[in-house]
Amino acid sequence: MSDEIQREQKNGILQYLLDMRDQGVVKHIGASSHTPSVIQEILDTDLIDMLMFSVNPAYDYNHGDYAYGGVDERADVYKRCEKLGVGISVMKPFSGGQLLSDKTSPFGKALTQYQCIKYALDKPGILTVLPGAQSVAEIDALLEYYEKSEEELDYSIIGSFAPPEASGKCVYCNHCEPCPAGIDIGAVNKFYDLARIGDDMAREHYLTLEKNASDCVSCGHCNSRCPFSVDQMSRMQEIRSFF
Ligand code: SF4
Ligand code: SF4
């Protein structure tokens, strides 16, 4: 068991929270961590309803000196939270502002705050993104997210600086759209990944989609557009067989 969990057990905080929950004072328990292995241990306890986790492309792709966990380790956290119904609230969506400037971004190329928010919201399990703001003007600027076009929110540029281990893995960004068969490619892939780890709700969501992998006509358009080198055409066949 990790030092963090042992500490909370030893100092009595965990028991105190559980007592408060039994008395109805505390309605839900949440946890916050930057480390996937610690989060997995916390999820094992089945105690939490929400998680604060630092999510942005730099951390997910191990760029910079502040990223914990590999690409797959971090993706497993998102998927497991979605499956367990633990909502993730995102902290550090801009990596402390680093990602917003060419000079400071570990990728050498700036993203907008809107691309970063969309990136986080597309991940399974993520319910909300909480960037830090120091003024009403900054909050107003963040809320412009809702007025941005799909092109302005498209973060597929990160495919050009993602590490080799991220290649071929769908991040549900939908940059490969439009699909002539009308398939929501990101959603189909997300529900597939979740259903594969036993998420029954995701299976249901997949089955209620208006169009799914069975509608794929193997035109190859998605393959030619994907910045993450995903062989989506083959994946659609795999998904069709799975369901
Ligand atoms: S196949 Fe590629 S472009 Fe399409 S949703 Fe997946 S990662 Fe994005
Ligand atoms: S290969 Fe299938 S999923 Fe991809 S764009 Fe064509 S029809 Fe859509």
Side-chain angles (χ1 to χ4, degrees):
M1 188 176 283
S2 75
D3 293 347
E4 284 91 339
I5 300 177
Q6 279 184 16
R7 193 181 57 228
E8 302 314 329
Q9 275 182 339
K10 237 182 182 170
N11 64 20
I13 286 181
L14 188 55
Q15 193 52 52
Y16 178 75
L17 269 176
L18 292 174
D19 292 345
M20 290 286 115
R21 191 176 67 176
D22 290 345
Q23 291 167 32
V25 178
V26 167
K27 306 288 181 201
H28 301 282
I29 297 177
S32 172
S33 174
H34 294 292
T35 314
S37 56
V38 172
I39 292 170
Q40 291 290 3
E41 285 193 22
I42 295 172
L43 293 174
D44 287 344
T45 66
D46 205 17
L47 287 176
I48 63 165
D49 295 316
M50 74 81 72
L51 171 75
M52 283 195 85
F53 187 41
S54 38
V55 179
N56 63 58
Y59 294 179
D60 278 351
Y61 293 149
N62 279 110
H63 280 264
D65 53 7
Y66 194 68
Y68 296 97
V71 176
D72 290 333
E73 224 182 330
R74 295 178 62 86
D76 286 347
V77 167
Y78 308 136
K79 287 187 267 191
R80 191 169 177 207
C81 282
E82 171 92 29
K83 183 181 169 200
L84 296 175
V86 173
I88 302 175
S89 172
V90 171
M91 48 184 173
K92 296 210 172 272
F94 315 140
S95 186
Q98 266 189 324
L99 285 169
L100 306 179
S101 146
D102 286 348
K103 285 200 187 100
T104 53
S105 168
F107 301 119
K109 181 97 184 68
L111 293 169
T112 67
Q113 45 193 9
Y114 311 110
Q115 288 171 305
C116 294
I117 293 172
K118 178 80 166 87
Y119 172 85
L121 288 175
D122 278 350
K123 297 269 165 286
I126 287 174
L127 297 184
T128 186
V129 177
L130 287 177
Q134 292 177 341
S135 67
V136 173
E138 282 184 21
I139 294 172
D140 283 341
L142 286 165
L143 290 173
E144 283 173 27
Y145 172 83
Y146 294 103
E147 286 142 39
K148 297 293 170 192
S149 64
E150 276 183 27
E151 288 72 30
E152 287 170 302
L153 297 179
D154 186 344
Y155 53 83
S156 55
I157 178 78
I158 63 173
S160 60
F161 33 70
E165 64 267 29
S167 177
K169 289 176 186 154
C170 183
V171 299
Y172 327 121
C173 66
N174 268 341
H175 183 74
C176 49
E177 295 281 359
C179 162
I183 301 168
D184 181 337
I185 296 172
V188 162
N189 279 269
K190 193 185 296 194
F191 295 147
Y192 171 54
D193 284 342
L194 291 167
R196 270 201 308 179
I197 60 162
D199 184 335
D200 293 335
M201 192 86 86
R203 176 180 281 274
E204 273 176 42
H205 287 323
Y206 174 86
L207 295 172
T208 53
L209 283 171
E210 208 173 305
K211 303 276 183 179
N212 61 34
S214 305
D215 296 291
C216 174
V217 295
S218 297
C219 69
H221 177 256
C222 49
N223 278 27
S224 66
R225 290 263 300 156
C226 177
F228 299 87
S229 309
V230 176
D231 180 0
Q232 189 56 249
M233 210 163 67
S234 304
R235 213 168 131 88
M236 282 290 162
Q237 288 174 11
E238 183 185 316
I239 297 172
R240 183 168 47 201
S241 309
F242 177 84
F243 285 103

